[in-house]
């Protein structure tokens, strides 16, 4: 469950569900790692609004490329997963103006990996068939995310 839902606890079941998720994360990664990641988030200056948008970007990239969220964010797989990550990097950079370091935090990658992926994206050829497909998927993801951002601003 995303962090931004903390302020919207409406029922006890929501709170219990959140606690279960926190327990699973702590059991899987350990208290020190969770604490370190929370401090990193705070030091990167990532707020609730950005977290909502990032979650939506990741969700839309998973949908566009038909991949699992866990493989997109945590996985080391290549091919379609790397393409989906690259699109997510670029959309985050364009829509939220996040730095490579901030983006790398969410994908558990080094900031040089994100920087290189964005550089490769900028050198893509719209006439090449595989590049054209990637650019098309990026446009779809960007359109949905832009609409989501507009809806968030209206609230």
């Amino acid at each position: 469950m995303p962090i931004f839902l903390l302020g919207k606890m409406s029922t006890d079941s929501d709170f219990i569900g959140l606690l279960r998720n926190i327990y699973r994360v702590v059991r899987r990664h350990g208290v020190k790692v969770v604490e370190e990641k929370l401090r990193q988030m705070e030091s990167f200056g990532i707020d609730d609004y950005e977290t909502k948008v990032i979650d939506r970007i990741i969700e839309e990239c998973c949908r566009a490329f038909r991949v699992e969220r866990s493989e997109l964010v945590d996985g080391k797989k290549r091919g379609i997963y790397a393409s989906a990550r690259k699109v997510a990097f670029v959309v985050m950079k364009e829509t939220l103006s996040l730095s490579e370091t901030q983006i790398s935090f969410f994908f558990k990658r080094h900031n040089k990996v994100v920087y290189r992926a964005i550089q490769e994206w900028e050198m893509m050829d719209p006439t090449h068939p595989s590049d054209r497909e990637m650019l098309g998927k990026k446009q779809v993801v960007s359109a949905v995310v832009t609409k989501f951002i507009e809806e968030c601003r209206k609230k």
Side-chain angles (χ1 to χ4, degrees), residues 31-126:
V31 174
K32 289 182 180 179
V33 171
V34 172
E35 183 181 22
E36 178 186 334
K37 292 296 180 185
L38 289 171
R39 288 181 193 209
Q40 284 178 353
M41 275 186 75
E42 190 176 273
S43 70
F44 286 141
I46 298 168
D47 62 8
D48 291 346
Y49 167 75
E50 288 173 337
T51 304
K52 287 181 194 178
V53 176
I54 289 167
D55 282 343
R56 186 59 183 258
I57 291 169
I58 292 170
E59 178 184 319
E60 291 304 322
C61 284
C62 289
R63 185 175 294 132
F65 287 88
R66 295 185 176 101
V67 297
E68 294 291 322
R69 182 185 179 99
S70 61
E71 291 296 331
L72 181 72
V73 177
D74 297 333
K76 302 287 185 197
K77 292 188 177 180
R78 296 179 183 199
I80 194 77
Y81 299 100
S83 300
R85 275 192 292 271
K86 193 180 293 188
V87 168
F89 296 161
V90 172
V91 173
M92 283 181 187
K93 182 90 169 157
E94 289 177 357
T95 57
L96 295 173
S97 301
L98 295 176
S99 69
E100 285 84 2
T101 305
Q102 289 171 317
I103 295 170
S104 66
F105 169 76
F106 282 97
F107 288 91
K108 301 175 185 168
R109 301 282 188 278
H110 195 276
N111 62 346
K112 288 182 181 180
V113 173
V114 176
Y115 177 77
R116 227 173 305 140
I118 291 172
Q119 292 300 315
E120 287 174 14
W121 184 269
E122 291 170 355
M123 295 182 344
M124 283 185 141
D125 180 14

Side-chain angles (χ1 to χ4, degrees), residues 131-148:
D131 289 353
R132 195 172 336 138
E133 180 184 354
M134 288 268 293
L135 291 167
K137 288 183 179 184
K138 186 256 180 191
Q139 288 176 341
V140 170
V141 171
S142 290
V144 172
V145 170
T146 302
K147 185 176 178 183
F148 177 75

